[in-house]
Structures are given as C-alpha cells and as structure tokens.
Amino acid sequence: MKMRRTEILESACELYVQDGLDGFSMRKLAKKLGVTAPALYRHFESREELIIEVLGEAYRLFAEYLYRALKGVDAAQRIQMARAEYLEFALSHPRMYEALYVSPELVGVVAECDEINQLGCAVGQFWVDRVRECIDAGILRPGDPRDIATTMWAHSHGLLSIWNRGLLGQGEAEFRRFFHQSCDRLFTGIESLDAVTAISVDWRQIVPDPVE
Amino acid sequence: MKMRRTEILESACELYVQDGLDGFSMRKLAKKLGVTAPALYRHFESREELIIEVLGEAYRLFAEYLYRALKGVDAAQRIQMARAEYLEFALSHPRMYEALYVSPELVGVVAECDEINQLGCAVGQFWVDRVRECIDAGILRPGDPRDIATTMWAHSHGLLSIWNRGLLGQGEAEFRRFFHQSCDRLFTGIESLDAVTAISVDWRQIVPDPVE
DNA sequence: GTCTATACCCCGATAGAC
DNA sequence: GTCTATCGGGGTATAGAC
C-alpha cells in the first residue's frame, strides 16, 4: 500500500488528538495506517519532524477559524467575531488548541523551526490588528494595541485552559455563555463606576459556522 | 541508608521540577537518592502515588503564598496582594505552578483523589472571598463573586501560561510590570469611556517577600 | 530496608531482504 | 516502498536473598 505524506500526516493529527504528545509514537501511527513502523521513515525523517508538521496543521486550522472573522462589516463586529471564532476553535479542537501552547522543548527543536514561529507570529499579529482598528474606530480606549491584545489573549486563553482541565465544573453550553460574559467584563472593567457604556455589537448575534 | 517518606517526597519534588511529569521516573528518583528503584516501593505504592503527593506539595506551597495576602489591612490591599503573591508563586516555582493545572488523566486517578480536589477548591474559594469583600467594600461593582473571581483567575493564569511558554518575548522584570499593568486593565476595562476611576492601592507598593 | 535479578512492557531508529 | 529482524534504550513493578 503506497502512502503519501498527506495521508500519514492526516492520520498523525488524529493520533495526536487522541493520545497527545506523549502518547504519540511511530509504532502506534504505523498500526493505525496498517503498516509497520519502519515504513514511516521513508516519508518522515523522525518522530520529531512528524510532530512539527502536526503542530503546523494545528496553526493552519486555527488561522482558518480566525480569518473568518474578517468577514465582519466593521471593526467592532470583526473583533467580536474573532472572539467567537477563537472560542469555536478551542472547543471544536481542544487537543489542537493545546498543541498551540505546547512548550518548544517538549517537541525538540521547535524553537528553531521557522515555519511554526511564523505561524505563531501571524496569529498574534491578527489580534493586534483587530485591536488597533477598534482603537482607531473609537471603540477601545487609546493604548498600545499589542499590550491590549495580549490582555485579551491572556484572558481568553486562561479561561479555555482552565475549562479544558475541568476546573470550572460547567457544561459546554454554560461555558460558552460564561466565556462571552467574561470577555464583556474585560471590556467594561470590574471596578466600581457610576455609569458604564456597552459595546455596540452583541456577541449573541454572532454564531460562527463550523469549519471543515 | 534509611529513608523517610518526607525525604523521598522532597527529592521527588525536585525531580518533578527539573524533569516534569513525563521525565519523572522511579529509576531517576532512586538514583538521585542514592538507592535502587525497588527500595522506593517500600515507602510509596506506585509512581502515581508519589506524583499525587508532589501535586499536594505544589498546592500547599501555593496556598502558603496566597494566604500571606491576608495580612493586607483592607479588602483593596488584600486583593492586590493576592495578585502579587499569585505572580510571585508562578515565577518562583514555574514547574510547580504548571503542576496545579496538569490534566487529571495524565497522572492517573487524580480525579478520584479527594485530597487534591479539596486543595484546589480551597484555592478557588480564596479568590471568591477576596472578590466578595471588595464588592462589599464598594471597590468592585456588584455581581456574582464567583464569576468575577473566575475572570480574574483566567486572566492571570492565561498571562502566566503564555509567558511561561516564551510567547511574550519579555524578560522577567518586564513581564512583572506587564502583569500588573494588564491586571489594572481588567479592573478599569478597555472600552472607550470618558472618565475612569483608578483603584486606590498601587500594586507597586506591595512587594511580596520570598516564601521559604 | 535495601539489594540483585528479572519479567514484561513501550519506544526510536536502522540494516538488509524482497 | 514495505517488510522482518534487531539494536539499545527507557520504563513500572515484583520476587526473593541478605
């Protein structure tokens, strides 16, 4: 049975999603494909190379979700859609989402892998751009777009990270509501104020379609 | 050489910190202690039991940091100190910090381990209590203390999680400043407003002493 | 309480036949 | 391009001597 790289990679992604980084072995992957382990080395130099490719797929899929937010008609809608797409990706592909944050040393020389680094930077830049256009539109207060984007990113990632590990004790539907509620809290702040203005676009109006 | 449980556990914590969950093996631990692996089974039933104990130590150390924030004179100072102690623990013991968020399934039956669950709940309750007393004091806007605490927790954890994995490209000193700046952003919110009030206690006045 | 020896797993990667 | 066979390493855990 002749195998192409893409078939192996596809199966490798499934294995990674099922068994995680540690559970990912060449022998298991070979069995999944109905071949023996040495056959894989005709197509990939090592386990490490395969894992790097899997991480690349994770980034590509993530970007696929995020960029759909660009269909929003204005800055406010785009940043709200980006939030919704971020949530959607993390919930639809939790292991792939985790993969985005796997420490480089664990997979080997990922730090030296330009392909992964560039994909990561592109995602970061996406958020900075969304924030900048919201500042320009007067929706967000002036400030360094990078700093503000990082705050938003941290909040979203932290929430998903905590929920994925089962520390919130909520079902998915309940968590979805809480995620948006919590994002709104970041927008409006939590300290005592007399009056608070609300962002114009309601997240409930934005329901992302499933990707793939 | 006679060994007591506590000596093994102490060494186990060091090994966990150095090599992480996957790198933690009975053989390595035995070598570290100058004995052979089977000797450890006189004191601990299995690797899993040892790891659960290590996680317990992580939670205890974490609580040690957090509870120092109770020395603050009022609700505002206590929540700001709690924030500073959270940061301090995560930066001083990054592997222990990660351990708090390790998925239960990875270490085995941790989900069934009441000791760990209770420690985790106690930490969560600490945050809820800090938020509640701030609401009562009029420092935070009214709302469900649990929801608000979760938002704060998520933001802090997300930031630390992202920085620990080297995604922010900042040195520690720079990150410390950013952490507090970002927490302030959560307090005040980010959306456009005409006037913003600032929280009364400045985090720079609160520098936690190192624990142990 | 610790040792040696061992049973029995899984793993990455290679050599050489087909 | 895939196979079998194998090298050399890691691991948990137990049996039985001392």
Side-chain angles (χ1 to χ4, degrees):
Chain A
M1 176 220 227
K2 301 203 177 187
M3 288 185 302
R4 281 185 263 112
R5 265 182 82 97
T6 57
E7 300 172 38
I8 300 179
L9 184 51
E10 193 177 337
S11 199
C13 287
E14 289 170 16
L15 181 60
Y16 186 98
V17 163
Q18 283 167 9
D19 292 10
L21 181 59
D22 308 327
F24 184 96
S25 81
M26 301 298 271
R27 285 154 127 102
K28 276 195 221 169
L29 177 57
K31 182 174 288 184
K32 212 171 136 67
L33 284 159
V35 297
T36 58
L40 300 175
Y41 288 87
R42 286 279 148 187
H43 306 271
F44 292 87
E45 221 178 22
S46 64
R47 169 183 184 270
E48 186 187 315
E49 186 189 324
L50 250 168
I51 286 182
I52 288 175
E53 298 266 0
V54 170
L55 294 188
E57 286 304 305
Y59 272 104
R60 260 183 287 276
L61 185 58
F62 185 37
E64 215 176 292
Y65 274 77
L66 276 191
Y67 288 150
R68 299 172 75 239
L70 292 177
K71 289 186 300 190
V73 296
D74 56 20
Q77 202 176 69
R78 281 193 287 273
I79 202 167
Q80 297 281 42
M81 285 175 72
R83 173 214 284 193
E85 294 289 350
Y86 190 100
L87 174 67
E88 200 58 33
F89 173 75
L91 293 183
S92 302
H93 309 278
R95 304 299 283 259
M96 285 303 203
Y97 179 76
E98 281 174 21
L100 303 185
Y101 294 94
V102 102
S103 4
E105 79 236 26
L106 284 184
V107 337
V109 282
V110 149
E112 271 66 67
C113 179
D114 284 340
E115 187 200 5
I116 298 290
N117 285 341
Q118 282 176 5
L119 289 167
C121 289
V123 170
Q125 189 57 44
F126 179 91
W127 282 109
V128 174
D129 292 341
R130 297 289 74 68
V131 167
R132 180 179 289 114
E133 68 180 11
C134 280
I135 294 175
D136 292 344
I139 295 161
L140 294 181
R141 285 204 290 279
D144 184 335
R146 212 186 177 294
D147 286 353
I148 296 171
T150 302
T151 299
M152 295 177 63
W153 179 24
H155 167 261
S156 297
H157 173 57
L159 215 45
L160 280 158
S161 170
I162 287 169
W163 185 76
N164 270 340
R165 272 165 181 65
L167 298 176
L168 292 188
Q170 294 175 327
E172 185 174 310
E174 196 182 353
F175 174 70
R176 287 182 114 92
R177 279 192 299 273
F178 184 78
F179 179 87
H180 288 293
Q181 179 203 107
S182 192
C183 285
D184 287 342
R185 226 183 332 262
L186 172 57
F187 267 74
T188 61
I190 59 178
E191 70 178 356
S192 196
L193 288 174
D194 290 337
V196 177
T197 66
I199 191 158
S200 54
V201 176
D202 184 12
W203 62 263
R204 289 174 208 81
Q205 296 169 358
I206 302 163
V207 180
D209 308 335
V211 170
E212 78 173 341
Chain B
M1 176 218 225
K2 301 203 176 184
M3 289 184 303
R4 279 183 267 113
R5 265 181 84 96
T6 57
E7 300 172 38
I8 300 178
L9 184 52
E10 194 177 336
S11 198
C13 286
E14 291 169 15
L15 180 60
Y16 186 99
V17 164
Q18 284 166 10
D19 292 10
L21 180 60
D22 309 325
F24 184 95
S25 81
M26 301 299 268
R27 301 234 240 251
K28 277 195 217 168
L29 178 57
K31 183 174 288 185
K32 210 169 138 69
L33 285 160
V35 297
T36 57
L40 299 174
Y41 288 86
R42 285 277 147 186
H43 306 272
F44 292 87
E45 221 178 22
S46 65
R47 170 184 183 270
E48 187 187 314
E49 185 188 327
L50 250 168
I51 286 182
I52 288 172
E53 298 267 356
V54 169
L55 294 188
E57 286 305 304
Y59 272 103
R60 262 183 285 276
L61 184 59
F62 185 38
E64 216 176 288
Y65 274 76
L66 276 192
Y67 288 150
R68 299 173 76 241
L70 293 178
K71 289 187 302 189
V73 295
D74 56 21
Q77 203 177 65
R78 281 193 287 274
I79 202 168
Q80 295 282 41
M81 285 173 74
R83 174 213 285 193
E85 294 289 350
Y86 189 99
L87 175 66
E88 200 58 33
F89 173 76
L91 293 183
S92 303
H93 309 279
R95 304 299 282 260
M96 284 302 202
Y97 179 75
E98 280 174 23
L100 303 185
Y101 295 94
V102 102
S103 4
E105 79 237 27
L106 283 184
V107 336
V109 281
V110 149
E112 270 67 67
C113 179
D114 284 339
E115 186 200 5
I116 297 290
N117 285 342
Q118 281 175 4
L119 289 167
C121 289
V123 169
Q125 190 57 44
F126 179 91
W127 281 109
V128 174
D129 292 341
R130 299 287 74 68
V131 167
R132 182 181 286 111
E133 68 181 10
C134 280
I135 293 174
D136 291 344
I139 294 160
L140 294 181
R141 285 202 290 278
D144 184 335
R146 209 184 179 296
D147 287 353
I148 296 171
T150 301
T151 298
M152 295 177 65
W153 178 25
H155 168 261
S156 297
H157 172 58
L159 216 44
L160 280 157
S161 168
I162 287 169
W163 185 75
N164 271 340
R165 273 166 179 64
L167 298 177
L168 292 187
Q170 292 175 326
E172 185 175 310
E174 197 182 352
F175 174 69
R176 288 182 115 89
R177 278 192 300 274
F178 183 78
F179 179 87
H180 288 293
Q181 180 203 106
S182 192
C183 285
D184 288 341
R185 228 186 324 267
L186 173 56
F187 267 75
T188 61
I190 59 178
E191 71 179 355
S192 196
L193 288 176
D194 291 335
V196 178
T197 65
I199 190 158
S200 54
V201 177
D202 184 12
W203 60 265
R204 289 174 207 83
Q205 296 168 358
I206 301 163
V207 180
D209 308 334
V211 169
E212 82 174 337

